[in-house]
Amino acid sequence: KMPSLNKVLLLCVLTCLGQEGLGSEIIHGEKAKDKTLLYMASVQNNGKHFCGGFLISEEYVLTAAHCDNSYTDMTVVLGTHDLKRVHDKTMRYQVQRCKHPSFKRVSSGNDIMLLKLSRKAKLSKTVATVELQKTAIKANTKCHVAGWGIDTPRGKAGVDELRVVDVSTIDLKVCKQEWKQIPANVICAGGYKTNKGACHGDSGGPLVCNGKAVGIVSYGYNCNYPNRPNVYTEISKFLPGIHKTLKKKTCELQ
């Protein structure tokens, strides 16, 4: 007998967020190479990683709305793959949060949030922005997702060094069949018919295809792949609000 949708969604939330608000980690990936993925951001609370994010301008990091979680000491770390090597004065940024006003829970969509940095990030050999995808992406496109989450299905803690894994996008019809119900404005990739995907601690990180950020890690069923597809917020659906926010520097995520 299949579990009810509510039970599935509850398990999903517990799996995606973890007891301390962790999103998802990289399963069956590899250590990210130096001088790559320079846009990756570690979203932290009290100096501890709990979500991923990515730099889209000198002033803004994009992440998932469910990463807000009412944390009082949220900061962003840029410019390192190794979270044991963080220089607070140069790498850590205080942030202002711009969460999508319609976000309620991952299962209802709009899981997107912009973080305005307390000062402009200095682009360098270790810090770079990533371009955003402007149109929908086709199924079976080869992409990758990265993060500092746990790297085994039963892992209890995230990793210190950034990991990355290759995944492919999945047809939305297939994703809907596997989940029975998914929110609007999402794409799916990894976790289904493959042992690769995201897990606890990766939420908010980018799905990157052809060098452009296409999605934001939102949720999955669990990390014991293969099972159901990982679900990502589709960035192209929110571009008008993102651009308004970056231009006006006020929250325009509608």
Side-chain angles (χ1 to χ4, degrees):
K1 185 177 180 180
M2 291 294 291
S4 68
L5 178 61
N6 287 341
K7 288 182 179 178
V8 169
L9 292 176
L10 176 60
L11 177 58
C12 157
V13 171
L14 292 175
T15 300
C16 293
L17 300 183
Q19 293 181 348
E20 297 181 0
L22 293 178
S24 308
E25 219 290 14
I26 300 304
I27 302 299
H28 291 131
E30 60 184 18
K31 179 182 173 182
K33 295 179 181 178
D34 292 340
K35 300 179 181 179
T36 66
L37 311 178
L38 303 183
Y39 47 78
M40 286 298 298
S42 170
V43 182
Q44 303 192 352
N45 182 54
N46 290 323
K48 294 182 179 180
H49 173 86
F50 67 91
C51 267
F54 47 107
L55 190 68
I56 62 171
S57 77
E58 291 178 326
E59 295 183 86
Y60 284 92
V61 162
L62 196 55
T63 187
H66 79 254
C67 291
D68 182 24
N69 213 20
S70 300
Y71 286 129
T72 56
D73 185 29
M74 182 186 288
T75 58
V76 160
V77 169
L78 297 172
T80 183
H81 282 183
D82 187 350
L83 297 184
K84 285 185 175 180
R85 298 182 178 181
V86 175
H87 302 286
D88 284 346
K89 289 185 178 181
T90 58
M91 295 179 176
R92 188 177 300 280
Y93 299 76
Q94 300 294 321
V95 295
Q96 293 179 350
R97 308 170 209 187
C98 175
K99 184 165 61 175
H100 195 288
S102 297
F103 175 77
K104 294 181 180 179
R105 61 189 71 86
V106 294
S107 60
S108 59
N110 299 313
D111 192 7
I112 182 170
M113 176 168 64
L114 279 164
L115 301 176
K116 187 177 186 300
L117 305 179
S118 54
R119 64 187 187 279
K120 284 187 177 182
K122 186 177 181 180
L123 304 185
S124 65
K125 294 181 179 179
T126 57
V127 177
T129 59
V130 62
E131 187 177 348
L132 303 182
Q133 175 73 18
K134 296 178 181 179
T135 58
I137 201 82
K138 294 181 179 179
N140 301 314
T141 299
K142 292 184 179 180
C143 311
H144 63 258
V145 60
W148 287 274
I150 62 172
D151 57 359
T152 60
R154 292 180 176 82
K156 295 182 179 180
V159 295
D160 292 316
E161 296 190 57
L162 184 67
R163 297 182 67 81
V164 61
V165 67
D166 293 332
V167 294
S168 294
T169 54
I170 298 167
D171 189 291
L172 266 184
K173 292 181 180 179
V174 174
C175 196
K176 289 178 180 178
Q177 288 172 355
E178 293 301 313
W179 274 103
K180 309 305 179 188
Q181 180 179 335
I182 57 174
N185 302 324
V186 298
I187 53 177
C188 301
Y192 175 71
K193 291 188 176 181
T194 176
N195 63 0
K196 298 178 180 181
C199 187
H200 313 300
D202 294 330
S203 280
L207 177 69
V208 176
C209 312
N210 301 317
K212 297 180 181 180
V214 172
I216 304 168
V217 178
S218 182
Y219 67 93
Y221 184 65
N222 61 44
C223 311
N224 192 22
Y225 304 129
N227 49 42
R228 294 187 181 137
N230 294 162
V231 180
Y232 297 76
T233 303
E234 186 173 4
I235 293 171
S236 66
K237 303 295 186 182
F238 298 89
L239 278 181
I242 292 172
H243 288 153
K244 283 183 180 179
T245 300
L246 267 61
K247 184 178 181 180
K248 296 182 179 180
K249 296 181 174 53
T250 58
C251 191
E252 300 283 347
L253 272 181
Q254 299 293 339

